[in-house]
């Protein structure tokens, strides 16, 4: 009865991991041979592990990554696309995220820009930080709609709190109308404190021409150039090697035949 009370009490306190580990110890005769402090540590470790896993699942769900199976352990450096292994390994330390720097991935379609961005975001979530994936066209539509409903500032506040924001397919269409000012406000709100990954088929040196308001273009490029690592990918599309794009291929190790 006393044990049942303890288990119920742990569950009522939402210490589900400790309760489960306590129950496991009760039905395991060998647990009586383990010192008390080690049994308590095992309960605490189990609780911590469960909480960490729940937080990871929450962060990954919130991140809405386009390629959910992308992870840095699967990056294939054999493909001839100009991807430097030492640079990628340095990025996995995530010091650039903690310091509010950005990563720009440019190159032809199919060279793995989006996959690499998702792999880095996955790593960020595994390290307990937040990430979110969004296509630039979708972002511009959302910001424009937010103006119409007076929710622009609230949306900006929400986006600036995300540790790593992925802006995918930058420059597929020019920034016109309110878009240049909106994107500048977003980047300004995150400058120096939060990070971006930007993927684009357009080389970074040509981005200025994509923005129709040149004063805004100058300000935007100044903020990006000086706080970004620019990784330029090259070569042919990897999609034929890893399968159809519709199947969300990995840009990691090819399947064994």
């Amino acid at each position: 009865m006393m044990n049942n009370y303890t288990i119920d009490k742990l569950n009522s306190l939402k210490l589900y991991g400790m309760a489960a580990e306590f129950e496991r110890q009760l039905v395991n005769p060998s647990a009586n041979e383990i010192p008390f402090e080690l049994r308590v540590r095992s309960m605490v470790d189990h609780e911590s592990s469960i909480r960490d896993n729940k937080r990871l699942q929450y962060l990954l769900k919130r991140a809405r990554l386009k390629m959910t199976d992308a992870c840095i352990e699967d990056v294939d450096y054999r493909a001839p696309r100009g991807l430097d292994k030492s640079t990628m390994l340095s990025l996995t330390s995530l010091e650039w995220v903690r310091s509010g720097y950005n990563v720009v991935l440019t190159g032809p379609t199919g060279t793995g820009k989006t996959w690499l961005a998702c792999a880095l975001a996955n790593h960020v979530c595994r390290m307990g930080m937040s990430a979110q994936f969004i296509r630039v066209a979708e972002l511009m539509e959302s910001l424009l709609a937010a103006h119409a409903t007076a929710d622009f500032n609230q949306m900006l506040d929400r986006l600036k709190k995300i540790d790593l924001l992925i802006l995918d397919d930058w420059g597929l269409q020019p920034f016109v109308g309110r878009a240049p000012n909106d994107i500048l406000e977003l980047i300004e709100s995150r400058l120096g404190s939060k990070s971006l990954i930007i993927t684009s088929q357009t080389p970074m040196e040509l981005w200025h021409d994509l923005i129709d308001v040149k004063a805004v273009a100058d300000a935007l490029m100044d903020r990006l150039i000086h706080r970004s690592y620019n990784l330029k990918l090259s070569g042919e599309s990897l999609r034929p090697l890893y399968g159809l794009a519709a199947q969300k291929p990995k840009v990691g190790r090819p399947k064994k035949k």
Side-chain angles (χ1 to χ4, degrees), residues 122-156:
N122 177 287
H123 187 54
V124 164
C125 291
R126 283 154 58 188
M127 292 298 105
M129 293 180 280
S130 60
Q132 184 176 330
F133 177 97
I134 188 168
R135 295 184 67 251
V136 172
E138 179 187 345
L139 174 64
M140 293 298 98
E141 290 179 4
S142 297
L143 290 173
L144 183 61
H147 280 295
T149 57
D151 290 332
F152 180 79
N153 289 332
Q154 289 90 329
M155 184 176 180
L156 214 59

mmCIF file of all heavy atoms in Angstrom, residues 122-156:
data_model
loop_
_atom_site.group_PDB
_atom_site.id
_atom_site.type_symbol
_atom_site.label_atom_id
_atom_site.label_comp_id
_atom_site.label_asym_id
_atom_site.label_seq_id
_atom_site.Cartn_x
_atom_site.Cartn_y
_atom_site.Cartn_z
ATOM 1 N N ASN A 122 18.001 20.069 -36.968
ATOM 2 C CA ASN A 122 17.780 18.875 -36.156
ATOM 3 C C ASN A 122 18.790 18.821 -35.011
ATOM 4 O O ASN A 122 18.441 18.520 -33.865
ATOM 5 C CB ASN A 122 17.908 17.632 -37.043
ATOM 6 C CG ASN A 122 17.774 16.328 -36.275
ATOM 7 O OD1 ASN A 122 18.671 15.940 -35.533
ATOM 8 N ND2 ASN A 122 16.668 15.628 -36.483
ATOM 9 N N HIS A 123 20.039 19.137 -35.316
ATOM 10 C CA HIS A 123 21.094 19.141 -34.298
ATOM 11 C C HIS A 123 20.829 20.213 -33.242
ATOM 12 O O HIS A 123 21.054 19.991 -32.050
ATOM 13 C CB HIS A 123 22.444 19.372 -34.973
ATOM 14 C CG HIS A 123 23.622 19.225 -34.061
ATOM 15 N ND1 HIS A 123 23.836 18.106 -33.296
ATOM 16 C CD2 HIS A 123 24.647 20.069 -33.772
ATOM 17 C CE1 HIS A 123 24.943 18.247 -32.583
ATOM 18 N NE2 HIS A 123 25.451 19.438 -32.845
ATOM 19 N N VAL A 124 20.356 21.371 -33.690
ATOM 20 C CA VAL A 124 20.009 22.455 -32.764
ATOM 21 C C VAL A 124 18.930 21.985 -31.786
ATOM 22 O O VAL A 124 19.027 22.218 -30.567
ATOM 23 C CB VAL A 124 19.529 23.696 -33.550
ATOM 24 C CG1 VAL A 124 18.792 24.672 -32.641
ATOM 25 C CG2 VAL A 124 20.721 24.399 -34.196
ATOM 26 N N CYS A 125 17.908 21.306 -32.301
ATOM 27 C CA CYS A 125 16.836 20.799 -31.431
ATOM 28 C C CYS A 125 17.368 19.758 -30.459
ATOM 29 O O CYS A 125 16.968 19.724 -29.287
ATOM 30 C CB CYS A 125 15.710 20.201 -32.279
ATOM 31 S SG CYS A 125 14.773 21.413 -33.249
ATOM 32 N N ARG A 126 18.256 18.896 -30.926
ATOM 33 C CA ARG A 126 18.828 17.874 -30.052
ATOM 34 C C ARG A 126 19.664 18.489 -28.936
ATOM 35 O O ARG A 126 19.841 17.877 -27.884
ATOM 36 C CB ARG A 126 19.658 16.899 -30.878
ATOM 37 C CG ARG A 126 18.794 15.900 -31.655
ATOM 38 C CD ARG A 126 19.473 15.366 -32.888
ATOM 39 N NE ARG A 126 20.737 14.702 -32.606
ATOM 40 C CZ ARG A 126 21.579 14.296 -33.566
ATOM 41 N NH1 ARG A 126 21.270 14.502 -34.839
ATOM 42 N NH2 ARG A 126 22.705 13.696 -33.241
ATOM 43 N N MET A 127 20.158 19.682 -29.163
ATOM 44 C CA MET A 127 20.925 20.382 -28.143
ATOM 45 C C MET A 127 20.034 21.252 -27.248
ATOM 46 O O MET A 127 20.522 22.051 -26.453
ATOM 47 C CB MET A 127 22.004 21.245 -28.794
ATOM 48 C CG MET A 127 23.115 20.462 -29.484
ATOM 49 S SD MET A 127 24.061 19.387 -28.347
ATOM 50 C CE MET A 127 23.413 17.770 -28.779
ATOM 51 N N GLY A 128 18.712 21.118 -27.426
ATOM 52 C CA GLY A 128 17.773 21.791 -26.531
ATOM 53 C C GLY A 128 17.368 23.190 -26.938
ATOM 54 O O GLY A 128 16.727 23.901 -26.157
ATOM 55 N N MET A 129 17.716 23.609 -28.161
ATOM 56 C CA MET A 129 17.337 24.938 -28.639
ATOM 57 C C MET A 129 16.225 24.827 -29.679
ATOM 58 O O MET A 129 15.971 23.757 -30.223
ATOM 59 C CB MET A 129 18.560 25.659 -29.217
ATOM 60 C CG MET A 129 19.616 25.999 -28.172
ATOM 61 S SD MET A 129 21.069 26.847 -28.862
ATOM 62 C CE MET A 129 21.969 25.460 -29.554
ATOM 63 N N SER A 130 15.575 25.949 -29.954
ATOM 64 C CA SER A 130 14.428 25.942 -30.855
ATOM 65 C C SER A 130 14.823 26.277 -32.290
ATOM 66 O O SER A 130 15.805 26.985 -32.534
ATOM 67 C CB SER A 130 13.373 26.940 -30.375
ATOM 68 O OG SER A 130 13.909 28.259 -30.329
ATOM 69 N N ALA A 131 14.055 25.736 -33.221
ATOM 70 C CA ALA A 131 14.283 25.994 -34.649
ATOM 71 C C ALA A 131 12.938 26.014 -35.357
ATOM 72 O O ALA A 131 11.944 25.496 -34.855
ATOM 73 C CB ALA A 131 15.185 24.921 -35.253
ATOM 74 N N GLN A 132 12.922 26.636 -36.533
ATOM 75 C CA GLN A 132 11.714 26.605 -37.365
ATOM 76 C C GLN A 132 12.098 26.747 -38.827
ATOM 77 O O GLN A 132 12.958 27.552 -39.180
ATOM 78 C CB GLN A 132 10.732 27.710 -36.980
ATOM 79 C CG GLN A 132 9.417 27.629 -37.773
ATOM 80 C CD GLN A 132 8.383 28.651 -37.333
ATOM 81 O OE1 GLN A 132 8.346 29.049 -36.174
ATOM 82 N NE2 GLN A 132 7.548 29.080 -38.259
ATOM 83 N N PHE A 133 11.457 25.948 -39.658
ATOM 84 C CA PHE A 133 11.677 25.962 -41.105
ATOM 85 C C PHE A 133 10.506 26.662 -41.780
ATOM 86 O O PHE A 133 9.351 26.382 -41.463
ATOM 87 C CB PHE A 133 11.781 24.525 -41.616
ATOM 88 C CG PHE A 133 11.942 24.397 -43.108
ATOM 89 C CD1 PHE A 133 13.203 24.226 -43.663
ATOM 90 C CD2 PHE A 133 10.840 24.440 -43.963
ATOM 91 C CE1 PHE A 133 13.359 24.092 -45.040
ATOM 92 C CE2 PHE A 133 10.986 24.318 -45.327
ATOM 93 C CZ PHE A 133 12.253 24.144 -45.870
ATOM 94 N N ILE A 134 10.804 27.559 -42.709
ATOM 95 C CA ILE A 134 9.742 28.216 -43.462
ATOM 96 C C ILE A 134 10.288 28.662 -44.817
ATOM 97 O O ILE A 134 11.430 29.124 -44.917
ATOM 98 C CB ILE A 134 9.166 29.432 -42.689
ATOM 99 C CG1 ILE A 134 7.928 29.988 -43.402
ATOM 100 C CG2 ILE A 134 10.224 30.518 -42.490
ATOM 101 C CD1 ILE A 134 7.136 30.993 -42.576
ATOM 102 N N ARG A 135 9.499 28.463 -45.849
ATOM 103 C CA ARG A 135 9.890 28.941 -47.171
ATOM 104 C C ARG A 135 9.687 30.455 -47.225
ATOM 105 O O ARG A 135 8.734 30.995 -46.647
ATOM 106 C CB ARG A 135 9.071 28.261 -48.267
ATOM 107 C CG ARG A 135 9.340 26.764 -48.354
ATOM 108 C CD ARG A 135 8.587 26.129 -49.507
ATOM 109 N NE ARG A 135 9.087 26.586 -50.794
ATOM 110 C CZ ARG A 135 8.435 27.406 -51.618
ATOM 111 N NH1 ARG A 135 7.233 27.875 -51.278
ATOM 112 N NH2 ARG A 135 8.958 27.764 -52.763
ATOM 113 N N VAL A 136 10.587 31.145 -47.919
ATOM 114 C CA VAL A 136 10.540 32.603 -47.945
ATOM 115 C C VAL A 136 9.226 33.100 -48.534
ATOM 116 O O VAL A 136 8.631 34.063 -48.030
ATOM 117 C CB VAL A 136 11.743 33.169 -48.741
ATOM 118 C CG1 VAL A 136 11.594 34.670 -48.947
ATOM 119 C CG2 VAL A 136 13.049 32.868 -48.001
ATOM 120 N N ALA A 137 8.744 32.455 -49.586
ATOM 121 C CA ALA A 137 7.479 32.882 -50.196
ATOM 122 C C ALA A 137 6.335 32.785 -49.186
ATOM 123 O O ALA A 137 5.479 33.676 -49.104
ATOM 124 C CB ALA A 137 7.177 32.027 -51.428
ATOM 125 N N GLU A 138 6.319 31.712 -48.407
ATOM 126 C CA GLU A 138 5.284 31.537 -47.379
ATOM 127 C C GLU A 138 5.428 32.590 -46.283
ATOM 128 O O GLU A 138 4.431 33.131 -45.786
ATOM 129 C CB GLU A 138 5.399 30.141 -46.777
ATOM 130 C CG GLU A 138 4.400 29.841 -45.672
ATOM 131 C CD GLU A 138 4.672 28.511 -44.999
ATOM 132 O OE1 GLU A 138 5.434 27.697 -45.557
ATOM 133 O OE2 GLU A 138 4.117 28.296 -43.899
ATOM 134 N N LEU A 139 6.672 32.896 -45.915
ATOM 135 C CA LEU A 139 6.916 33.909 -44.889
ATOM 136 C C LEU A 139 6.406 35.269 -45.331
ATOM 137 O O LEU A 139 5.751 35.987 -44.561
ATOM 138 C CB LEU A 139 8.410 33.982 -44.582
ATOM 139 C CG LEU A 139 8.850 35.100 -43.630
ATOM 140 C CD1 LEU A 139 8.255 34.901 -42.242
ATOM 141 C CD2 LEU A 139 10.374 35.162 -43.560
ATOM 142 N N MET A 140 6.687 35.633 -46.584
ATOM 143 C CA MET A 140 6.253 36.934 -47.084
ATOM 144 C C MET A 140 4.727 37.041 -47.097
ATOM 145 O O MET A 140 4.157 38.084 -46.759
ATOM 146 C CB MET A 140 6.798 37.160 -48.507
ATOM 147 C CG MET A 140 8.322 37.301 -48.581
ATOM 148 S SD MET A 140 8.944 38.736 -47.646
ATOM 149 C CE MET A 140 9.447 37.962 -46.130
ATOM 150 N N GLU A 141 4.065 35.945 -47.475
ATOM 151 C CA GLU A 141 2.601 35.945 -47.468
ATOM 152 C C GLU A 141 2.060 36.092 -46.048
ATOM 153 O O GLU A 141 1.096 36.825 -45.812
ATOM 154 C CB GLU A 141 2.088 34.653 -48.098
ATOM 155 C CG GLU A 141 2.311 34.561 -49.605
ATOM 156 C CD GLU A 141 1.795 33.248 -50.174
ATOM 157 O OE1 GLU A 141 1.198 32.458 -49.396
ATOM 158 O OE2 GLU A 141 1.982 33.004 -51.380
ATOM 159 N N SER A 142 2.698 35.409 -45.113
ATOM 160 C CA SER A 142 2.244 35.463 -43.718
ATOM 161 C C SER A 142 2.447 36.854 -43.126
ATOM 162 O O SER A 142 1.584 37.363 -42.394
ATOM 163 C CB SER A 142 2.998 34.428 -42.882
ATOM 164 O OG SER A 142 2.715 33.122 -43.335
ATOM 165 N N LEU A 143 3.570 37.477 -43.423
ATOM 166 C CA LEU A 143 3.839 38.821 -42.914
ATOM 167 C C LEU A 143 2.868 39.831 -43.518
ATOM 168 O O LEU A 143 2.387 40.742 -42.833
ATOM 169 C CB LEU A 143 5.287 39.226 -43.210
ATOM 170 C CG LEU A 143 6.361 38.473 -42.421
ATOM 171 C CD1 LEU A 143 7.751 38.843 -42.929
ATOM 172 C CD2 LEU A 143 6.254 38.777 -40.932
ATOM 173 N N LEU A 144 2.576 39.668 -44.811
ATOM 174 C CA LEU A 144 1.626 40.571 -45.471
ATOM 175 C C LEU A 144 0.238 40.416 -44.863
ATOM 176 O O LEU A 144 -0.447 41.413 -44.587
ATOM 177 C CB LEU A 144 1.581 40.271 -46.969
ATOM 178 C CG LEU A 144 0.691 41.183 -47.821
ATOM 179 C CD1 LEU A 144 1.161 42.641 -47.734
ATOM 180 C CD2 LEU A 144 0.680 40.713 -49.276
ATOM 181 N N ALA A 145 -0.170 39.177 -44.609
ATOM 182 C CA ALA A 145 -1.473 38.927 -43.995
ATOM 183 C C ALA A 145 -1.513 39.478 -42.577
ATOM 184 O O ALA A 145 -2.550 39.973 -42.117
ATOM 185 C CB ALA A 145 -1.776 37.434 -43.998
ATOM 186 N N ALA A 146 -0.387 39.417 -41.881
ATOM 187 C CA ALA A 146 -0.328 39.924 -40.507
ATOM 188 C C ALA A 146 -0.533 41.434 -40.466
ATOM 189 O O ALA A 146 -1.100 41.966 -39.508
ATOM 190 C CB ALA A 146 1.011 39.551 -39.880
ATOM 191 N N HIS A 147 -0.084 42.141 -41.492
ATOM 192 C CA HIS A 147 -0.336 43.584 -41.566
ATOM 193 C C HIS A 147 -1.835 43.860 -41.633
ATOM 194 O O HIS A 147 -2.345 44.780 -40.986
ATOM 195 C CB HIS A 147 0.337 44.178 -42.813
ATOM 196 C CG HIS A 147 1.805 44.437 -42.650
ATOM 197 N ND1 HIS A 147 2.300 45.375 -41.763
ATOM 198 C CD2 HIS A 147 2.885 43.894 -43.267
ATOM 199 C CE1 HIS A 147 3.622 45.396 -41.845
ATOM 200 N NE2 HIS A 147 3.999 44.500 -42.747
ATOM 201 N N ALA A 148 -2.529 43.035 -42.405
ATOM 202 C CA ALA A 148 -3.963 43.256 -42.618
ATOM 203 C C ALA A 148 -4.769 43.028 -41.344
ATOM 204 O O ALA A 148 -5.837 43.619 -41.166
ATOM 205 C CB ALA A 148 -4.467 42.341 -43.725
ATOM 206 N N THR A 149 -4.265 42.179 -40.453
ATOM 207 C CA THR A 149 -5.000 41.871 -39.225
ATOM 208 C C THR A 149 -4.371 42.516 -37.987
ATOM 209 O O THR A 149 -4.745 42.195 -36.862
ATOM 210 C CB THR A 149 -5.051 40.346 -39.008
ATOM 211 O OG1 THR A 149 -3.708 39.825 -38.966
ATOM 212 C CG2 THR A 149 -5.811 39.673 -40.143
ATOM 213 N N ALA A 150 -3.411 43.381 -38.219
ATOM 214 C CA ALA A 150 -2.717 44.093 -37.136
ATOM 215 C C ALA A 150 -1.952 43.144 -36.217
ATOM 216 O O ALA A 150 -1.732 43.445 -35.048
ATOM 217 C CB ALA A 150 -3.702 44.938 -36.320
ATOM 218 N N ASP A 151 -1.567 41.978 -36.756
ATOM 219 C CA ASP A 151 -0.816 41.001 -35.963
ATOM 220 C C ASP A 151 0.665 40.982 -36.316
ATOM 221 O O ASP A 151 1.396 40.077 -35.902
ATOM 222 C CB ASP A 151 -1.387 39.588 -36.173
ATOM 223 C CG ASP A 151 -2.764 39.434 -35.539
ATOM 224 O OD1 ASP A 151 -3.033 40.143 -34.551
ATOM 225 O OD2 ASP A 151 -3.554 38.608 -36.041
ATOM 226 N N PHE A 152 1.118 41.954 -37.088
ATOM 227 C CA PHE A 152 2.500 41.948 -37.576
ATOM 228 C C PHE A 152 3.502 41.943 -36.425
ATOM 229 O O PHE A 152 4.447 41.150 -36.403
ATOM 230 C CB PHE A 152 2.743 43.148 -38.495
ATOM 231 C CG PHE A 152 4.145 43.215 -39.034
ATOM 232 C CD1 PHE A 152 4.535 42.423 -40.094
ATOM 233 C CD2 PHE A 152 5.080 44.078 -38.473
ATOM 234 C CE1 PHE A 152 5.835 42.485 -40.599
ATOM 235 C CE2 PHE A 152 6.374 44.150 -38.959
ATOM 236 C CZ PHE A 152 6.751 43.346 -40.028
ATOM 237 N N ASN A 153 3.319 42.831 -35.455
ATOM 238 C CA ASN A 153 4.267 42.926 -34.344
ATOM 239 C C ASN A 153 4.285 41.649 -33.507
ATOM 240 O O ASN A 153 5.345 41.209 -33.049
ATOM 241 C CB ASN A 153 3.935 44.125 -33.456
ATOM 242 C CG ASN A 153 4.250 45.441 -34.135
ATOM 243 O OD1 ASN A 153 5.139 45.515 -34.987
ATOM 244 N ND2 ASN A 153 3.514 46.490 -33.779
ATOM 245 N N GLN A 154 3.107 41.042 -33.310
ATOM 246 C CA GLN A 154 3.038 39.798 -32.558
ATOM 247 C C GLN A 154 3.775 38.683 -33.292
ATOM 248 O O GLN A 154 4.482 37.874 -32.676
ATOM 249 C CB GLN A 154 1.585 39.388 -32.325
ATOM 250 C CG GLN A 154 0.850 40.280 -31.336
ATOM 251 C CD GLN A 154 0.157 41.452 -32.019
ATOM 252 O OE1 GLN A 154 0.630 41.951 -33.044
ATOM 253 N NE2 GLN A 154 -0.967 41.868 -31.457
ATOM 254 N N MET A 155 3.614 38.640 -34.620
ATOM 255 C CA MET A 155 4.300 37.623 -35.412
ATOM 256 C C MET A 155 5.807 37.838 -35.366
ATOM 257 O O MET A 155 6.585 36.890 -35.231
ATOM 258 C CB MET A 155 3.804 37.661 -36.862
ATOM 259 C CG MET A 155 4.405 36.580 -37.735
ATOM 260 S SD MET A 155 3.726 36.588 -39.410
ATOM 261 C CE MET A 155 4.642 35.210 -40.118
ATOM 262 N N LEU A 156 6.217 39.094 -35.452
ATOM 263 C CA LEU A 156 7.637 39.419 -35.383
ATOM 264 C C LEU A 156 8.216 39.015 -34.026
ATOM 265 O O LEU A 156 9.321 38.461 -33.956
ATOM 266 C CB LEU A 156 7.835 40.920 -35.618
ATOM 267 C CG LEU A 156 9.101 41.358 -36.363
ATOM 268 C CD1 LEU A 156 9.159 40.726 -37.751
ATOM 269 C CD2 LEU A 156 9.145 42.869 -36.477
#
